[in-house]
Amino acid sequence: MEKITKTIPFASLEELSEVLGAYDEHLTYLARELSLLAYVDGLKIKLEGRQEDAQIGESVLYALLETVRAGERIDEGKLVYAIELAKEGRAEEIGKIESGTVAITARGKQIKCKTVGQQTYVDGIRKNTVVFGVGPAGTGKTYLAVCMAVSAFKSKQVEKIILTRPAVEAGEKLGFLPGDLHEKVDPYLRPLYDALQELLGLETYGKLMERGVIEVAPLAYMRGRTLSNAFIILDEAQNTTREQMKMFLTRMGEGSKMVVTGDITQIDLDGKESGLVHATNILEGVEGISVNRLTAKDVVRHPLVMRIIHAYEKDAQKAEEKKKPRTRASKEGD
């Protein structure tokens, strides 16, 4: 295939330096991922390679340039994500993220969405009463839900934050764990505690817990209640049964909002159907309910986590293909 050259001009050395990264590491990574020859020529970056690859590289660089002009810094995770989007012809969507602040931590750090999937998820929480966030570890589904809960509480949209999880984890049940109720539940809710402490500060968090404004309880303790004027988060919902999920969703009272998060690749129900899988299948499209499916592209913990998830997804695909019955033609060809 014929090779072409793409030229991307920059207005200043500062912009060029931000896009290039330290020791040109961003450009080196881009060139390696897309099999391009990339080099700097004055205030321009030139890309040489196959037409499709060069066009993808060009769209990535323009997207990164817009990110820099918006006052955001570029890290490896952002670069990897930009390449993934550009391969799908969606590079322009990068400009849609990080445009608004989701929450501000107790130390003044702004929390922003880092992927298009996260932005869609947060928008869904803002606009709907019941929201499902389904996706692999590291996509920020639980953390962003807590951010939105704290924001809703601070703006007086709700009077209470309720956090709950089914007490099933890798085969363990509450009865086998030592301690009282809170000591039994604490290990399961640690990610939620950590997020709340970061957003509210340790002192404020402690006071709100003492006053019962923040409530933490196992899912079983939701039975028989009506939860009004509250922001309710059900985490690890893949480990709910159909009956538990129905029970939870029907607890909602006036002025409340529910966010249900989970990872359907990590179900620990010993063969029972997951209430999360069932609920998202039958409730998608219902008015007031938003179902958001985050993917490996939305992983924000570390670029390597995205690659690990991709590897597991490929392995699962291979396993599924092996299970498929061979066609008659393929059998006759054996």
Side-chain angles (χ1 to χ4, degrees):
M1 185 179 291
E2 185 180 351
K3 293 186 177 183
I4 65 168
T5 300
K6 290 285 186 179
T7 302
I8 299 88
F10 290 79
S12 69
L13 183 59
E14 288 75 16
E15 287 183 350
L16 177 61
S17 298
E18 284 290 332
V19 171
L20 288 174
Y23 305 106
D24 296 351
E25 61 183 2
H26 297 155
L27 187 61
T28 301
Y29 183 91
L30 177 71
R32 184 174 68 247
E33 286 295 301
L34 297 175
S35 301
L36 295 169
L37 172 63
Y39 56 94
V40 178
D41 181 7
L43 285 179
K44 301 174 184 176
I45 292 178
K46 292 192 174 182
L47 305 174
E48 293 181 10
R50 295 187 311 165
Q51 182 172 349
E52 182 182 357
D53 296 330
Q55 286 174 339
I56 291 172
E58 179 185 39
S59 61
V60 168
L61 290 176
Y62 275 120
L64 295 180
L65 178 56
E66 288 303 312
T67 299
V68 170
R69 288 175 176 170
E72 302 292 338
R73 297 191 66 84
I74 300 168
D75 55 24
E76 185 184 356
K78 201 168 294 182
L79 174 61
V80 172
Y81 183 60
I83 294 172
E84 290 285 333
L85 280 185
K87 286 179 178 178
E88 298 176 2
R90 299 166 54 202
E92 74 284 350
E93 294 183 26
I94 296 170
K96 298 178 183 178
I97 60 178
E98 298 198 12
S99 56
T101 301
V102 179
I104 299 175
T105 69
R107 295 187 176 185
K109 178 185 175 185
Q110 292 186 343
I111 305 299
K112 297 183 178 183
C113 294
K114 294 185 177 181
T115 71
V116 175
Q118 285 189 348
Q119 187 66 62
T120 302
Y121 174 48
V122 166
D123 288 343
I125 295 175
R126 289 191 177 114
K127 297 173 184 175
N128 295 276
T129 306
V130 177
V131 177
F132 291 88
V134 184
T139 51
K141 55 190 183 294
T142 300
Y143 185 75
L144 288 172
V146 174
C147 286
M148 295 298 288
V150 171
S151 293
F153 174 73
K154 286 182 174 179
S155 60
K156 302 189 185 305
Q157 296 174 44
V158 297
E159 299 172 356
K160 193 171 188 177
I161 297 172
I162 300 175
L163 311 174
T164 185
R165 285 175 89 172
V168 177
E169 192 86 12
E172 290 185 344
K173 300 185 187 298
L174 281 181
F176 295 102
L177 296 174
D180 60 20
L181 172 64
H182 284 288
E183 289 172 327
K184 289 173 185 284
V185 177
D186 272 359
Y188 298 98
L189 292 160
R190 179 49 54 192
L192 301 177
Y193 288 145
D194 292 344
L196 282 169
Q197 289 171 12
E198 180 185 1
L199 291 161
L200 294 167
L202 196 56
E203 185 178 347
T204 301
Y205 164 78
K207 289 179 180 177
L208 293 176
M209 286 287 287
E210 286 178 12
R211 287 164 45 197
V213 174
I214 296 174
E215 181 183 344
V216 179
L219 180 59
Y221 282 64
M222 298 295 108
R223 191 175 298 279
R225 300 178 60 185
T226 299
L227 308 173
S228 301
N229 300 312
F231 196 114
I232 311 136
I233 299 173
L234 170 58
D235 193 31
E236 299 293 345
Q238 74 274 4
N239 287 329
T240 61
T241 63
R242 286 173 57 164
E243 294 76 19
Q244 286 175 323
M245 179 62 76
K246 180 182 177 184
M247 179 274 290
F248 172 76
L249 293 173
T250 54
R251 298 308 91 202
M252 184 168 56
E254 287 294 322
S256 286
K257 188 182 288 284
M258 286 182 163
V259 178
V260 180
T261 67
D263 178 358
I264 59 174
T265 68
Q266 297 187 27
I267 298 172
D268 298 306
L269 287 175
D270 297 326
K272 293 181 183 178
E273 183 183 8
S274 167
L276 178 61
V277 174
H278 179 255
T280 52
N281 286 339
I282 67 169
L283 296 176
E284 190 163 15
V286 174
E287 186 177 353
I289 297 177
S290 173
V291 177
N292 300 269
R293 292 183 171 85
L294 300 163
T295 69
K297 291 185 183 66
D298 298 300
V299 171
V300 295
R301 283 184 179 164
H302 190 285
L304 184 57
V305 177
M306 186 190 295
R307 295 177 198 134
I308 290 170
I309 292 170
H310 275 313
Y312 273 95
E313 287 176 347
K314 286 180 182 178
D315 184 64
Q317 271 185 335
K318 288 178 183 177
E320 285 297 317
E321 287 172 3
K322 286 181 181 178
K323 290 179 184 177
K324 291 179 182 177
R326 291 181 298 172
T327 62
R328 182 173 179 179
S330 66
K331 289 178 181 178
E332 289 175 353
D334 289 347

